[in-house]
């Protein structure tokens, strides 16, 4: 179900429905709070919606859960923050 919810969030993101995407990704973090991947996905949705500080927090949480979550590192770099 984690992957299915994530995929639904990305479909919304691809349709430029960032508010919906953020909502779906947040639900996924509530359902799977120990998954680095869902926090990374939330970070991406927050970044695209212009919520920089929230995106940084989500990417950092992803790295706390999995220090090898390279996409979260890339997200932080895009936002001008060192991982």
């Amino acid at each position: 179900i984690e992957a299915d919810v994530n995929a639904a969030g990305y479909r919304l993101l691809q349709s430029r429905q960032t508010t919906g995407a953020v909502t779906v990704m947040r639900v996924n973090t509530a359902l799977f709070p120990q998954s680095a991947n869902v926090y990374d996905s939330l970070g991406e949705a927050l970044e695209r919606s212009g919520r920089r500080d929230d995106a940084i927090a989500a990417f950092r949480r992803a790295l706390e859960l999995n220090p090898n979550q390279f996409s979260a590192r890339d997200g932080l770099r895009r936002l001008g923050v060192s991982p």
Side-chain angles (χ1 to χ4, degrees):
I1 188 166
E2 176 185 334
D4 295 330
V5 175
N6 222 37
Y10 274 110
R11 281 193 297 278
L12 289 167
L13 204 54
Q14 289 171 348
S15 299
R16 298 183 185 196
Q17 297 177 43
T18 56
T19 301
V22 168
T23 299
V24 169
M25 301 294 195
R26 277 204 194 281
V27 167
N28 220 14
T29 63
L31 293 171
F32 302 97
Q34 297 305 310
S35 170
N37 185 55
V38 298
Y39 281 96
D40 178 61
S41 297
L42 174 60
E44 188 174 340
L46 290 163
E47 178 184 4
R48 288 212 200 158
S49 69
R51 296 170 60 185
R52 182 180 185 275
D53 292 341
D54 292 334
I56 290 168
F59 287 136
R60 285 187 172 153
R61 179 65 180 141
L63 288 174
E64 286 173 11
L65 293 168
N66 179 2
N68 294 319
Q69 188 78 26
F70 296 110
S71 51
R73 289 180 183 279
D74 291 342
L76 288 173
R77 286 187 189 110
R78 281 192 308 273
L79 293 168
V81 177
S82 95

